[in-house]
Every structure is written in structure tokens, then in C-alpha cells.
Amino acid sequence: MSGNAISIDGVAVAFEPGQTIMQAAEAAGVYIPHLCHHPEFAPHGSCKLCTVKVNGRNGASCTVGAQPGMVVENNTAELNDGRRALTQMLFVEGNHFCPFCERSGNCQLQAVAYFLNMTSPHFEHFYPPREVDASHPEVLLDRNRCILCELCVRASREVDGKNVFGIAGRGIQARLVVNSHSGRLGDTGLAATDKAVQVCPVGAIIRKGTAFRVPVGKRLYDQAPISEVGTHVTGQGHGKT
Amino acid sequence: MAKLRVATTSLAGCFGCHMSFLDIDERLFSLVEAVEFDRSPLTDIKRCGPCDIGIVEGGVCNAENVHVLREFRRNCRILVAIGACAINGGVPAMRNNIDLWDCFQEVYQYEGGTEGRVVPNDPELPLPFDKVHPIYEVVKVDYFLPGCPPPADAIWRLLTDLAAGREPRLDYTMLHYD
Ligand code: SF4
Ligand code: SF4
Ligand code: FES
């Protein structure tokens, strides 16, 4: 291997100086499972789904910079077992009832779970009480499905310049909050076309009146896995970005 | 070859998974060649005897569900959870963050409720739980087949793999949560 290249599962992958392992992998078309990473935003490193082995040690590939000659393991049984356990925890920490979720079939959490061949959530369910906010005329916020990836927080602050969302509390108390005097979405300047609405990887932020338009069988992840279809779907499954 | 004994039941489910099971259509003929049914809504046998495979649809929402589930676990060599409800509570678990008494009032007492607006309270009725749980939180489950309901092809694949002593393998399109 010469120059700026790393190896991922034995395949040489070139990188530009300054790129993370995730960015190099994406440019080369190599899929590393992830949820809180989005190519248009700075790394967040919170979901740990993108964990790879870098020269024998675990690291979040969305935050670790690529260095010449790095040996990266990605699609291995051991790493995927760990990723599946993380995904199962995300399911039981929220209330994910896919059969009646507007995002089903276009949801990245669900698609990652399919990719990892997750057949059950394995852990005991928390069934946490979480609030739904339907106060905005065009956007629904269902915290039951929020995975706290902070993409909406980043998008609202950095792209929309509105600072509508935030995460409050720590650990199991962590929750998505809305920055308005009432704490309700209807009292913010959020617009349905905002980036914050489009980036949510799951069914937590939903554009009203757009759900269930695509029949089962034709949705984004119905026929092929997320590793082939891609991840960065705009808001309601209208295509990749 | 001795026929496989299979038991099936629907706990807190809608029988949709059983309907999907019947959707294997003409493959039912090959199935009855290879399989004998024990306790099941298809046979109306009331108690489960020793079986090779037990198939459970639905989650656990009351005391009777737990009795039936334990009876299945005691008697079945392989226990399979099929459908969203058996695996994460599904639609019935939508009530998990609503007070049980509020649910009862809504169903039996308010507009459109039962005649006389009384909440049924017969000793024959099983005791409802405050939350609906997936079956693996109560007994050990050997295999899971998600879906609401799982497609007939997936049920067929699972059964034929298990009958042949193979580790079940689903195609990508057979694994879905909705
Ligand atoms: S957000 Fe995704 S995983 Fe959660 S219920 Fe909706 S489709 Fe299922
Ligand atoms: S609402 Fe969506 S984008 Fe925002 S933190 Fe939750 S899952 Fe992430
Ligand atoms: S994608 Fe890297 S930690 Fe979430």
C-alpha cells in the first residue's frame, strides 16, 4: 500500500488528508453501518454503530482520522454482533412499533437492523413514556422514535440558523427538547422544508401529509439492504442526498 | 419418518400471523404430510402435549397468556415467536403508556361502550397486566420471525428449515418488521 491509503477488510481504500475512516469508506463505496453520521455534518460520534477495529483497537470510524497504512476491520462477525446489540438497545430504549410508523420501510434504524439480521430486540423493553408534539401545522414530532442522534439539532443550528432543537438531560433522562417558550414545535420558526426536518434518520420528525404514499414493496429498503441503497435519505424517503 | 408435532397459539395477537400461515396455500398439503398438529386454533385441542415445534403469535397481556406460554415452553422442544406482537408487544403494547383504568373507561364506559356501561369483572376473565410484554421477557424463545404479519414464504421457510434440522435462514425480503 502506498501513499494515502488504508486497508478496510483487506481492500485498499485511498483517502484525502483530513478525511475520517468513514469519509474515505463512503468515497470508495464501502458501507460502514452508522446512524449519527451524516456527510454534510461534523462527526458526532455518539451512536457507536460505526465502530471498527483500527490496527486491532476499537474506534468510531466517523471520528477517527485516516492515516497511511491503517489496517481497518469492518464487516466482521464480531463487530456486527456488537453493532446488533447496540441496535437492539436503541429499539428497547424507545417505543418502536414499526407496523404503524410512517417511516417504516424508509427508516435507517430499521434498515440497519435488517442489515445486521436482527430478528428480535433481545433486551427487556423500557416502554418509556415519551411525548408526541403535534402542535406544528406541517411537522410531527414523535419522541417515542427519537434515537438522540442530534442530527436535527446540528441541522437546525448550522444550516437553518434557527436552533429549534436541543438535547436535555443525561443518560436515560436524555430527551429531545424544543426551543420555544412553550416547549412546543408550533411555537418555533421551524418550516417543513428545513434541513432539520429532512435529516432525521428515523420516524421521530415526520412531515405531515406525506406518509404512506409509497406502497409496501416499493419503499427504499424493501428490496435491497442499506449497504446497497445508501443511507442519506431526505426526510420522507424521496431519494438520496 | 415420524411426523413432526407442531402446536400453535395466539396470545395477545389478532390471528393475523395464523392467517399468514394459512397463506402458504397449496403447500399446506405437503405440510400435513410432514406435520401433525397438537394444541392449535386449527385443531381446537385445549392442552399442549409434547411437541417438536411450538409457534406463538401475540405478546403477553394477561395472566392466561402467561399460563399458555409456559405450557408451550414446557412441552415444545423448539419455541418460535412469530409476528411483531410476540417480539415487541406490537399493536397491543400501544397501551403501555396509558393507564389501564383509562383504557377500560374508554372502551367500556364512554360513548360507544358496552350496554349498561360496565367494565366486565367476571372471575372467569383473565387478569389483565398494566403493560403488554413480548414473550421472550417471560420464557426462553429459540427463534424469532418478525413481521406484521410475517410473509407466508418466510413462515414456510422457517418451518421447512426447522423440520430439516437446518438453522433457519431468511432472504432479505423475508425479514421485515411491518
Ligand atoms: S422509527 Fe424506524 S425503527 Fe422506529 S418504529 Fe419507525 S420504522 Fe420502526
Ligand atoms: S428527532 Fe431525529 S434527528 Fe433529532 S435527535 Fe431524534 S432521531 Fe435524531
Ligand atoms: S456513526 Fe459513528 S458514532 Fe454514530
Side-chain angles (χ1 to χ4, degrees):
Chain A
M1 214 181 307
S2 62
N4 287 334
I6 57 175
S7 115
I8 302 182
D9 292 335
V11 177
V13 169
F15 68 89
E16 305 282 328
Q19 276 186 328
T20 59
I21 295 172
M22 176 68 81
Q23 286 168 334
E26 272 185 336
V30 174
Y31 175 65
I32 304 178
H34 59 271
L35 284 169
C36 71
H37 160 79
H38 187 293
E40 293 166 43
F41 294 94
H44 192 246
S46 61
C47 75
K48 303 298 178 206
L49 219 71
C50 69
T51 299
V52 291
K53 265 201 165 62
V54 187
N55 298 335
R57 282 168 174 251
N58 282 354
S61 60
C62 70
T63 59
V64 178
Q67 302 290 336
M70 264 181 176
V71 178
V72 177
E73 285 173 52
N74 168 38
N75 197 9
T76 68
E78 183 193 333
L79 287 166
N80 283 336
D81 282 351
R83 291 164 177 160
R84 192 182 313 107
L86 288 174
T87 308
Q88 288 168 321
M89 290 185 214
L90 287 173
F91 270 82
V92 301
E93 281 172 20
N95 295 302
H96 293 276
F97 299 109
C98 301
F100 44 91
C101 176
E102 298 90 327
R103 194 64 192 266
S104 194
N106 299 315
C107 167
Q108 291 181 32
L109 175 63
Q110 189 188 60
V112 163
Y114 292 167
F115 174 80
L116 296 168
N117 200 27
M118 180 187 119
T119 57
S120 95
H122 180 78
F123 299 104
E124 201 168 309
H125 284 73
F126 286 34
Y127 297 124
R130 297 254 188 99
E131 274 173 39
V132 175
D133 180 346
S135 60
H136 193 284
E138 289 176 277
V139 180
L140 173 76
L141 174 60
D142 187 342
R143 292 180 177 86
N144 289 291
R145 306 160 182 161
C146 174
I147 56 170
L148 301 170
C149 69
E150 246 176 72
L151 272 168
C152 60
V153 180
R154 289 178 271 166
S156 185
R157 189 176 54 219
E158 292 163 28
V159 180
D160 307 327
K162 294 184 183 174
N163 216 4
V164 167
F165 297 101
I167 308 279
R170 291 193 150 267
I172 198 62
Q173 305 298 337
R175 64 205 182 275
L176 188 73
V177 291
V178 170
N179 192 8
S180 68
H181 62 277
S182 62
R184 282 153 62 90
L185 212 49
D187 296 322
T188 67
L190 183 83
T193 48
D194 282 358
K195 189 79 179 171
V197 177
Q198 291 163 26
V199 286
C200 181
V202 295
I205 302 180
I206 292 276
R207 238 178 121 155
K208 291 182 181 175
T210 63
F212 307 119
R213 292 229 171 118
V214 181
V216 172
K218 294 219 156 66
R219 300 167 307 180
L220 196 68
Y221 301 120
D222 279 340
Q223 302 299 332
I226 192 167
S227 53
E228 287 165 28
V229 177
T231 48
H232 301 296
V233 188
T234 55
Q236 315 299 326
H238 294 150
K240 289 204 253 182
T241 56
Chain B
M1 203 177 88
K3 285 189 172 186
L4 280 179
R5 267 195 101 72
V6 176
T8 78
T9 188
S10 175
L11 305 177
C14 70
F15 273 90
C17 294
H18 275 79
M19 297 310 287
S20 191
F21 182 23
L22 297 178
D23 256 351
I24 60 175
D25 298 331
E26 71 277 5
R27 285 169 291 187
L28 277 168
F29 292 109
S30 354
L31 187 74
V32 289
E33 300 275 299
V35 155
E36 192 141 29
F37 283 98
D38 195 276
R39 175 176 177 159
S40 165
L42 311 172
T43 59
D44 216 21
I45 297 173
K46 303 293 186 204
R47 287 276 169 268
C48 182
C51 284
D52 298 291
I53 303 175
I55 298 175
V56 180
E57 163 194 329
V60 170
C61 79
N62 63 33
E64 195 240 355
N65 291 157
V66 174
H67 290 302
V68 175
L69 181 58
R70 291 201 172 131
E71 179 185 299
F72 267 64
R73 180 66 280 184
R74 267 197 309 277
N75 285 288
C76 303
R77 199 163 49 83
I78 300 172
L79 196 66
V80 185
I82 72 164
C85 303
I87 293 173
N88 81 344
V91 174
M94 277 183 90
R95 74 162 167 84
N96 280 0
N97 282 309
I98 303 172
D99 181 78
L100 193 56
W101 183 244
D102 288 347
C103 287
F104 281 166
Q105 287 184 310
E106 189 65 41
V107 172
Y108 297 110
Q109 296 192 319
Y110 298 160
E111 214 48 57
T114 47
E115 215 179 283
R117 304 257 159 99
V118 285
V119 176
N121 189 22
D122 191 289
E124 291 252 320
L125 292 172
L127 192 71
F129 296 155
D130 65 337
K131 281 188 169 46
V132 182
H133 292 271
I135 65 167
Y136 70 80
E137 292 185 11
V138 180
V139 296
K140 177 178 185 290
V141 174
D142 301 300
Y143 294 100
F144 298 89
L145 182 58
C148 189
D153 286 341
I155 298 175
W156 179 247
R157 170 73 65 82
L158 182 97
L159 282 178
T160 47
D161 279 354
L162 287 178
R166 284 189 299 262
E167 199 59 22
R169 278 229 76 81
L170 299 177
D171 300 343
Y172 179 78
T173 51
M174 291 179 180
L175 175 68
H176 56 68
Y177 301 161
D178 57 4

